[in-house]
Amino acid sequence: MGVIVGPRVIDAGVSLLSVLVSPMPVAAGFPSPAQDYFDGRIDLNAHLIKDVTGTYVVRVSGESMEGAGISDGDELIVDRALEPHDGSVVVAVLDGELTIKRLRITPTGVILQAENPAYPDIAVPALSDLSIWGTAVRCLHHV
Amino acid sequence: MSKPALMRHMPQIAHVDVNCFYASAERAFDPSLEGKPVIVLSNNDGCAVTRSPEAKALGIAMGEPWFKLAPRAKEWGLVALSSNYELYGDISARVMELLGRYSAWLEVYSIDEAFLGVKGTPSELASLGTSMKAAVRRNVGVPVCVGIAPTKTLAKLANKWAKNNKGFAGVCHWDSVPAAEREALLGRLSVEEVWGIAGRLTRRLNGMGIFTIADLVRADPVAIRDKFNVVVMRTVLELQGTPCIPMEEERIGRDQLIFSRSFAKPITTAAGIRQVMSVYGQQASARLAKHGLQAKVLTAFAGTSHFNPKDTSYPSVCVPLPMPTADPVILTKAGHALLPRIVEGVRYARAGIMVTDLRPSGNQAPLSLFENPHEERHIGTLLEDVTRRYGRGSIGLGHGGIRGGPDWTMKRDMLSPRYTTHWGELPLVKAA
């Protein structure tokens, strides 16, 4: 699992203050020999977000997904446009709350699985009975 | 050219808007609000500006003051929320960006509605409407309705019909509805249901024996122009199916001001978009000043044409302004927040800005201080003189001159988290 430390902005509001100050020092004197090779810094948005219109960042509260490497306080990048399938880590609506579970689609029914033996699985009669909010595509795990 | 072939090539207008926008945006992140009566309050928690259907069913009127509703809120199970403009601005930008993929000809009409130019056979148009609706629901998480018709006025009407008649499943393609049904509807609806016709105009039309939309459709456009004006004549022509309200590039609403434009020639550089943003920033400033308004949030966006599916890019940013402002410099700089997201070499067909969370600028007119060339009016020495005589904070440029608590710190006691624009307020998902 990729680990990203201290991400700042994922297509969120940009503070005006960050706009007023140029992030690049203004060169005076000799041009840097590296200048021609500078192609822009790595943009996490470009690599981690496929479709900004359907991507949200959420924060995990609880330990039931520890086995999937998702800990309390981690941030998840959730893509709502993806079709969830068996094995997807999904954000589902349960009792009016956003809940994170592993989706299992079996011949006998649909199960929302916890990734921690201390937490029970939840059986759902059919996929259509389930309201899936989005599919987690990345975990920003705090190391 | 045969008639069906001609019809295939006639552009139509799709009108898309979000159902109960503010309440739907809140529900997208707090599913516990689903099924409950929800209202969103205006600035300073004044009165209800958005009502969920459940709240409407309780008899809560648009604009009803919160202090009157508050005592009964608990008994009703009514949830009242302060206006979360950061959230609404971002959700709006996402909806508009997604809609822009369906047509290069997009007019963002307000924070929650847009007109799109669309083409196709009746069945293509109906399925286009259905797929737009599904995409916004799936990606962004809010419900929309779609009306598609030969004119803007009819598209608005078709949308309203789609909203109020479950049989349409949220999408109404006007021309696909049997003529008899359309006529029955027009004969049933009052003229004031028509876009642009309200209050006094309705009474004057009633006085002429025009009560229903069908009556207005039958009216002679020229006679209407002579009796009223060219605007009402256009409405009649539009109802008859003749498009005459062009796509607009600028619009001021109760709550937002929008400048957007499709370019005659694509812009391919961030420098080009920078210029466009500067122009919009200044236009927005002038327009805000004219209406005595200041803005608190600015959204900037750009997009490529959908006719060029190879290099697509639809950047947008939502910038909370540091204070309510109509200052061209600040608005322009905020618009420039879009520039890092502009991909060099990509052909942008459209760009725009939207300023939201508007409020009256109050008695002080800070804008005049920014008008050029202010140096000639000895503002600097005037400021010094006043400060010397009346003390610090008695006068200043913009918000520098506000004495005491700034009047723009809005009361938002029932504010939901700014889920999508503030890292500390992300939606929580339960792992339990």
Side-chain angles (χ1 to χ4, degrees), chain B residues 21-36:
Chain B
F21 176 53
Y22 294 177
S24 295
E26 300 282 355
R27 280 177 170 170
F29 295 92
D30 183 357
S32 74
L33 298 176
E34 212 63 59
K36 284 186 194 160

Side-chain angles (χ1 to χ4, degrees), chain B residues 29-256:
Chain B
F29 295 92
D30 183 357
S32 74
L33 298 176
E34 212 63 59
K36 284 186 194 160
V38 177
I39 56 169
V40 176
L41 303 173
S42 59
N43 287 349
N44 292 313
D45 296 343
C47 53
V49 287
T50 302
R51 301 159 298 152
S52 74
E54 297 83 359
K56 286 177 194 167
L58 285 172
I60 295 171
M62 188 70 175
E64 205 157 335
W66 170 235
F67 74 86
K68 280 192 178 171
L69 298 169
R72 300 190 62 190
K74 202 164 184 188
E75 160 198 348
W76 281 335
L78 176 67
V79 180
L81 295 162
S82 304
S83 286
N84 187 341
Y85 287 108
E86 292 87 346
L87 176 64
Y88 311 149
D90 180 47
I91 298 299
S92 172
R94 288 169 185 254
V95 171
M96 298 309 168
E97 179 174 338
L98 196 48
L99 292 178
R101 296 179 192 172
Y102 290 86
S103 171
W105 189 31
L106 172 81
E107 175 189 337
V108 179
Y109 181 68
S110 76
I111 193 166
D112 62 350
E113 57 183 322
F115 289 106
L116 292 86
V118 290
K119 275 184 190 174
T121 62
S123 69
E124 282 166 356
L125 289 176
S127 73
L128 178 78
T130 307
S131 72
M132 284 194 288
K133 180 178 166 59
V136 177
R137 174 87 229 197
R138 187 191 59 231
N139 282 27
V140 189
V142 292
V144 298
C145 283
V146 184
I148 303 176
T151 69
K152 281 174 133 182
T153 306
L154 286 172
K156 274 274 236 189
L157 197 60
N159 191 322
K160 202 180 257 190
W161 204 8
K163 269 203 172 58
N164 295 326
N165 189 323
K166 292 238 182 306
F168 285 113
V171 179
C172 171
H173 178 235
W174 188 252
D175 289 343
S176 297
V177 179
E181 265 183 62
R182 292 192 317 233
E183 275 156 35
L185 177 85
L186 297 179
R188 206 163 58 231
L189 292 179
S190 151
V191 278
E192 63 190 328
E193 300 287 327
V194 175
W195 182 40
I197 299 211
R200 218 166 65 88
L201 194 52
T202 307
R203 288 195 293 279
R204 286 179 64 197
L205 287 167
N206 291 166
M208 296 169 65
I210 295 172
F211 293 94
T212 67
I213 301 179
D215 295 337
L216 191 59
V217 173
R218 279 192 294 270
D220 173 17
V222 177
I224 289 287
R225 184 196 61 197
D226 295 344
K227 187 117 176 98
F228 299 94
N229 52 47
V230 72
V231 179
V232 187
M233 180 185 80
R234 281 193 200 129
T235 300
V236 174
L237 287 169
E238 285 242 322
L239 284 171
Q240 294 172 347
T242 308
C244 40
I245 302 178
M247 295 293 261
E248 303 264 354
E249 291 168 351
E250 175 208 323
R251 180 164 298 282
I252 187 154
R254 188 169 41 84
D255 233 14
Q256 69 270 312

Side-chain angles (χ1 to χ4, degrees), chain A residues 7-16 19-20 45 51-65 75-76 80-81 91 93 96-101 119 133 140, chain B residues 28-32 90-91 94 97-98 101 137-141 314 316-322 330 333-334 336-337 341 419-421 423-432:
Chain A
R8 288 294 309 276
V9 174
I10 306 269
D11 199 54
V14 173
S15 157
L16 183 61
V19 183
L20 298 173
N45 288 331
D51 183 347
V52 290
T53 66
T55 303
Y56 292 108
V57 183
V58 302
R59 184 164 290 127
V60 177
S61 165
E63 273 111 38
S64 73
M65 294 302 283
E75 286 85 20
L76 297 173
R80 290 180 51 98
V91 176
V93 179
E97 284 186 306
L98 299 176
T99 306
I100 179 108
K101 294 279 180 190
Y119 293 85
W133 193 85
L140 311 182
Chain B
F29 295 92
D30 183 357
S32 74
D90 180 47
I91 298 299
R94 288 169 185 254
E97 179 174 338
L98 196 48
R101 296 179 192 172
R137 174 87 229 197
R138 187 191 59 231
N139 282 27
V140 189
Y314 304 92
S316 74
V317 286
C318 177
V319 187
L321 301 169
I330 296 179
K333 289 238 162 93
H336 289 169
R341 287 151 203 243
Y419 300 108
T420 65
T421 57
W423 190 252
E425 302 180 22
L426 297 177
L428 288 181
V429 297
K430 223 169 95 176

